Amino acid sequence: MPEMPQMQALAERLDANVGGHALTGYEPLGFSSLKTFAPPPESVVGDTLTRVGRRGKYVVFEFANGNRVLLHLSQAGRLDVESPPKRTKPKGAVVRWKFENQVALLVREFGTERKAGWWVVAPGDDGPMASLGPEALSDEFATLVRESTDGRRVHTLLRDQHTVAGIGRGYSDDILHRAKLSPYASLKSMSPEERERLIAAVHDVLADGLERERKRQGGLSANKLGEHFVVHGKHGVPCPVCGDDLQRVSYESHEVVYCPRCQTGGKVLADRRLSRLVK
Ligand SMILES: [Zn+2]
């Protein structure tokens, strides 16, 4: 899933591509991808897009009349910058927005899950962003890490958008590896020094990710976005720090990758899928 670095860099590129230009029209290409009915999308047609920003994993299109369009790509949503605009309706197409400078943005989805969505919200309405926690790089989140007695596994906490916005499965693996913390540790059980390591790792890993994402051109089109992770998706590969094999814990929808020597004092965490097979 695209996370904060992908979405931040994408928002910056979109701002450069279509910021300052009027939206001339839109083509709804996928059923049920528009999550709001009022104000209607027509309320921003003909209006100038003043700025493209980001909040959590949402791209935020701000219009001169105060209305905003929010876009969430979810797991497999992608965005193509079309210059000039195309008339095609590719498989998985969600919506195409057309701008006066002969650039269009096509949102589409890989696979069959239809989870990418967009919202049109009035001034003062944050829509689905209202329940987001603080930004990952904010002082507010650093304070939470220093003071919280949250008992959940830190891997779960980092991915909970209500607790902290912008981090997903990929960067949470890399952050905890960088911090040398077990994915099963909790803030409740962490020493002050471990908490500082976590804060520093969040900043370092996301800054590295952002630097890399800012080299990307155009939209966010590629199917696979995560080849650059340090440990995420790389179980069985030698740890880049100590050389031991990276291990994983598998869940229905995702897996957690970690290095036993660097993160868990050598302990291999129970893999629920594996133990189910053994039974
Ligand atoms: Zn290691």
Side-chain angles (χ1 to χ4, degrees):
M1 179 187 285
E3 302 178 34
M4 177 281 213
Q6 284 85 19
M7 299 311 280
Q8 176 62 34
L10 175 63
E12 292 169 6
R13 290 195 298 278
L14 296 183
D15 194 52
N17 270 286
V18 292
H21 296 281
L23 180 74
T24 54
Y26 75 102
E27 297 168 6
L29 300 169
F31 294 108
S32 75
S33 60
L34 175 62
K35 308 295 182 189
T36 45
F37 59 90
E42 287 72 19
S43 68
V44 291
V45 172
D47 204 26
T48 300
L49 176 68
T50 51
R51 180 176 175 268
V52 184
R54 178 201 57 84
R55 172 80 172 101
K57 297 177 190 170
Y58 292 85
V59 172
V60 182
F61 300 85
E62 299 175 9
F63 286 86
N65 66 11
N67 285 354
R68 293 182 294 171
V69 171
L70 316 178
L71 170 67
H72 196 285
L73 292 177
S74 192
Q75 188 66 28
R78 297 294 183 264
L79 188 148
D80 299 336
V81 175
E82 299 176 340
S83 179
K86 296 179 181 172
R87 295 182 175 199
T88 53
K89 189 191 170 184
K91 202 169 159 226
V94 173
V95 63
R96 177 182 280 126
W97 295 303
K98 293 182 282 192
F99 291 85
E100 64 176 347
N101 62 339
Q102 295 304 305
V103 175
L105 309 181
L106 173 74
V107 181
R108 58 189 170 80
E109 253 182 314
F110 281 101
T112 52
E113 279 190 86
R114 293 284 166 256
K115 287 186 171 171
W118 59 294
W119 294 253
V120 183
V121 294
D125 181 6
D126 282 337
M129 303 190 302
S131 64
L132 291 179
E135 286 291 312
L137 298 182
S138 66
D139 291 345
E140 195 182 344
F141 179 59
T143 302
L144 184 151
V145 171
R146 289 189 181 107
E147 296 176 356
S148 173
T149 54
D150 197 308
R152 287 176 296 167
R153 288 171 175 170
V154 65
H155 197 281
T156 306
L157 179 146
L158 288 175
R159 290 181 292 111
D160 178 3
Q161 302 303 301
H162 306 298
T163 304
V164 52
I167 302 172
R169 299 161 191 172
Y171 286 105
S172 50
D173 279 353
D174 278 17
I175 286 167
L176 294 174
H177 180 264
R178 177 85 66 111
K180 297 190 186 300
L181 290 169
S182 168
Y184 285 5
S186 67
L187 284 177
K188 197 166 119 183
S189 64
M190 271 184 215
S191 68
E193 191 266 334
E194 288 172 325
R195 292 169 190 246
E196 293 304 323
R197 270 188 357 233
L198 177 57
I199 295 166
V202 167
H203 282 253
D204 291 350
V205 167
L206 294 182
D208 284 357
L210 190 51
E211 192 185 335
R212 184 171 279 105
E213 284 299 321
R214 280 178 171 151
K215 291 175 183 148
R216 206 188 282 270
Q217 306 282 322
L220 192 62
S221 299
N223 186 358
K224 298 276 182 206
L225 299 173
E227 294 81 359
H228 56 272
F229 286 118
V230 175
V231 299
H232 178 65
K234 299 197 169 167
H235 69 92
V237 171
C239 167
V241 173
C242 74
D244 279 9
D245 283 355
L246 295 171
Q247 301 288 326
R248 68 172 164 181
V249 184
S250 301
Y251 296 89
E252 291 285 306
S253 61
H254 70 287
E255 62 180 28
V256 174
V257 177
Y258 67 100
C259 171
R261 189 193 280 194
C262 292
Q263 293 176 254
T264 59
K267 189 180 166 215
V268 174
L269 304 173
D271 188 326
R272 299 197 305 183
R273 189 174 63 177
L274 215 60
S275 37
R276 211 160 49 230
L277 289 175
V278 172
K279 280 174 206 165

